[in-house]
Structures are given as C-alpha cells and as structure tokens.
C-alpha cells in the first residue's frame, strides 16, 4: 500500500478547519513525515498516523513547517521512546533543528540525527528512491519525490503449464529473471513467461514554491503531485511577491508534467472554510484536482499493466 495522509493543509497559520503544514506518507508499513508544523503530534493522533516513524523530512524552515517537531520529540520522549530518529532538511537544518529539539532539555530524550540534503540528492531505499530537488521559495527550500523502482513483469502461469514447467520454486526463479533447467533437460527463461517490467509509483511533494520547471521535471508522469496553492488567481501578484503559487499555476504544473492526479495544499486562511474557488480555478486547467483537507487520505494505486 502507498497512501498519503494530509495532517495540515493551511498556509502560515492554523484555522478552525486546517492545521499548518504536515504530510504523512505510508508505504508498505513504513511512515515518512514531510514537514512538521505546530500541532502535528495531535493531528497524528487524531488521524491515526503511527508515532513509530523513524524519519522526518523538512522542505524549509519557515515556522509553519517545523515548529511542531519540538512538541513531537518531547511527547515521544515522555512515552519512553529509545529508538533513534533522523531529521532531514536543506542546508541550515543542523543549526535550526538542533536548537528546536533541545528546547526544554539539556539534550534530546532519545538519539536524534540531523542530516542536510542538497538538491540532486537521491536516497536509495528498499523498493524506492527518495529524491531531493530545488523549488522556488525561501533560500535553499527543497521538495521531495518518492519514486518506486520498476516492478517485475507479469508471470504467465497458463503458458508455464503449457510448457510443462512444474508449479513451485521454478516459477519464482523464472519470474526473477533466471533461466532454469526442467527435468527433461529443456531450458526455460523469463523471456518466454514474463511480460515487460512495469513502472512503480511516483509521489511528488513540493512544499512551498512558485510554479517552476524543476517541479515539472521531477513530476513527469507522477501518480500524485502534491503542490501548494496558497491563493486564487486574483491574488497572483501577492503569490509572486511571497514565493507561492495560485491554484491555476499549480494546475498548470500538473498538466505540463503529465501527472495523473493533483492535490492542492497550503491553503490561505481566506479560503480555509470554502476552498471551492481554488478547486474551480484549478480544474479549468487540470481536471483531476482535489483540494486536500486535514485528515484526508489518498491511496495511490499501481497503474494497470
């Protein structure tokens, strides 16, 4: 399973309907947290996101994206956590986060490692890569992409039976690309029984950004693009001044990238209770758009094939 849960979808400050920035991505039982705005720990409890996460990834260090790590670390410490945690962020992360996690402590209550990531960094994981790319916002701000590795092609059991390959371990070996020798001496390989490899899934999260070519490039063919949309188009000058995007601009990025679906986040307080203007504007450009709300979970299925 690959799913994204939106823990905070408001821009700059919380509202009655929305908390500030935080997104949890769960893949095959592993939880990754992207940004950790004030109150994220409560949102995790409210929406059933596990505290067993090992890593938090920060896009930049404006207060609405990282202040929640103070309370989260304190709460985990009070719960007796002993497992280490790693905090990732753009250059400057060590200075900002080391101060935050030690607030109220002489030292963090469990091992916390801080790692700084430059755009272009690729973290290789089991079954996927986590890519770091530059965005156009605060100095050094980054976005993240979770790109799964290609999957094996489909195995054809009917064809295997017709060729006399006995069901069992030989099927698995052939599916993994091996050539096997049958009891009668014939050799059979994956070319005869396995279809072409299939793409993994791609989820791209921008954090705060202006519409920019770097997002289009990394999000080409994305199964889900999570892009900020702080304003509607009548505030496009304000968006440009503050380093943000309008809903129409975010939709243009999704369209240019050929993404399958777009989720809008970082909603200004003026639209918090009624984001229909954002949605209508974006769908004029890119139909497969939703405005995320706190507590929403979007599952990302495998593509057919």
């Amino acid at each position: 399973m690959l799913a994204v849960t939106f823990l905070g979808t408001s821009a700059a400050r919380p509202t009655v309907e929305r908390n500030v920035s935080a997104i949890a991505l769960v893949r095959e039982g592993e939880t990754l947290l992207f940004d950790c705005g004030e109150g994220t720990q409560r949102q995790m409890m409210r929406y059933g996101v596990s505290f067993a996460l090992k890593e938090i990834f920060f896009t930049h260090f404006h207060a609405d994206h990282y202040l929640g790590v103070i309370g989260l670390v304190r709460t985990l410490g009070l719960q007796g956590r002993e497992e280490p945690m790693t905090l990732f962020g753009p250059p400057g992360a060590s200075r900002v986060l080391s101060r935050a996690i030690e607030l109220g402590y002489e030292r963090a209550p469990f091992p916390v490692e801080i790692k700084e990531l430059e755009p272009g960094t690729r973290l290789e994981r089991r079954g996927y890569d986590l890519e770091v790319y530059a965005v156009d916002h605060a100095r050094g701000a980054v976005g993240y992409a979770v790109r799964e590795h290609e999957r094996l092609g489909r195995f054809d059991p009917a064809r295997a039976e017709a060729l006399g390959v006995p069901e069992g371990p030989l099927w698995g070996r052939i599916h993994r690309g091996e050539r096997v020798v049958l009891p009668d001496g014939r050799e059979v390989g994956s070319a005869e029984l396995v279809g072409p490899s299939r793409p993994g899934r791609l989820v791209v999260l921008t954090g705060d950004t202006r519409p920019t070519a770097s997002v289009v490039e990394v999000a080409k063919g994305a199964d889900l693009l999570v892009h900020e949309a702080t304003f509607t188009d009548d505030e496009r000058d304000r968006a440009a001044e503050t380093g943000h995007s309008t809903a129409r601009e975010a939709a243009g990025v999704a369209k240019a990238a050929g993404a399958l679906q777009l989720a809008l986040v970082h909603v200004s307080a003026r639209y918090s209770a009624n984001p229909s203007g954002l949605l209508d504007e974006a769908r004029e450009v890119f139909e497969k758009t939703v405005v995320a709300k706190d507590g929403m979970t979007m599952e990302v299925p495998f593509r057919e094939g």
Side-chain angles (χ1 to χ4, degrees):
M1 183 190 76
L2 176 61
V4 173
T5 297
F6 300 93
L7 299 173
T9 57
S10 182
R13 64 179 177 87
T15 67
V16 172
E17 301 83 12
R18 300 172 185 273
N19 201 52
V20 285
S21 295
I23 296 173
L25 184 148
V26 178
R27 180 188 178 276
E28 306 300 340
E30 178 186 18
T31 300
L32 306 177
L33 183 63
F34 295 89
D35 286 329
C36 189
E38 177 187 355
T40 293
Q41 60 173 328
R42 184 176 182 275
Q43 297 293 88
M44 294 172 71
M45 291 185 280
R46 183 177 184 185
Y47 299 123
V49 173
S50 173
F51 276 167
L53 79 166
K54 298 179 180 179
E55 298 172 321
I56 305 176
F57 296 85
F58 295 89
T59 59
H60 64 293
F61 296 111
H62 286 165
D64 57 318
H65 289 258
Y66 85 92
L67 281 183
V69 74
I70 300 170
L72 179 57
V73 168
R74 287 182 61 88
T75 293
L76 295 176
L78 290 170
Q79 290 181 340
R81 179 184 176 114
E82 297 179 352
E83 296 78 15
M85 176 178 285
T86 305
L87 310 180
F88 296 90
S94 297
R95 175 179 55 84
V96 175
L97 295 176
S98 61
R99 293 175 180 175
I101 63 176
E102 292 177 1
L103 189 65
Y105 288 103
E106 292 183 359
R107 60 181 178 83
F110 51 87
V112 177
E113 185 177 8
I114 301 171
K115 295 185 177 181
E116 298 189 356
L117 301 173
E118 295 281 354
T121 302
R122 180 191 298 266
L123 304 179
E124 297 182 0
R125 304 297 178 82
R126 183 175 181 180
Y128 70 96
D129 293 337
L130 197 145
E131 301 172 3
V132 186
Y133 64 95
V135 297
D136 183 5
H137 185 59
R139 181 179 179 184
V142 298
Y144 296 97
V146 174
R147 189 185 302 273
E148 290 186 327
H149 300 163
E150 284 191 336
R151 297 178 291 150
L152 297 173
R154 292 191 183 278
F155 183 84
D156 187 343
R159 175 66 174 160
E161 291 177 355
L163 290 175
V165 182
E167 184 175 356
L170 292 183
W171 284 20
R173 289 173 59 190
I174 294 170
H175 197 192
R176 291 190 296 271
E178 296 182 36
R179 290 192 66 82
V180 301
V181 179
L182 303 182
D184 61 9
R186 289 180 296 128
E187 289 191 7
V188 177
S190 59
E192 292 99 321
L193 295 176
V194 181
S197 61
R198 296 169 290 167
R201 295 163 290 189
L202 172 61
V203 176
V204 176
L205 305 99
T206 68
D208 293 2
T209 186
R210 293 287 297 143
T212 182
S214 61
V215 178
V216 174
E217 181 63 27
V218 77
K220 284 183 176 177
D223 296 88
L224 174 62
L225 171 61
V226 181
H227 197 294
E228 74 122 288
T230 308
F231 301 105
T232 52
D233 210 42
D234 58 343
E235 293 284 348
R236 57 187 176 275
D237 291 342
R238 174 69 174 158
E241 290 170 4
T242 56
H244 293 294
S245 298
T246 69
R248 187 180 302 277
E249 288 171 331
V253 171
K255 182 177 181 179
L260 300 186
Q261 191 160 15
L262 170 66
L264 302 180
V265 294
H266 207 261
V267 175
S268 171
R270 71 191 70 187
Y271 318 111
S272 183
N274 182 15
S276 60
L278 294 168
L279 184 61
D280 291 346
E281 182 178 287
R283 284 185 172 174
E284 290 177 3
V285 178
F286 188 80
E287 177 63 27
K288 297 293 186 179
T289 300
V290 298
V291 177
K293 60 182 180 180
D294 288 15
M296 175 189 290
T297 294
M298 296 181 68
E299 292 194 15
V300 182
F302 285 113
R303 305 179 201 185
E304 294 182 3

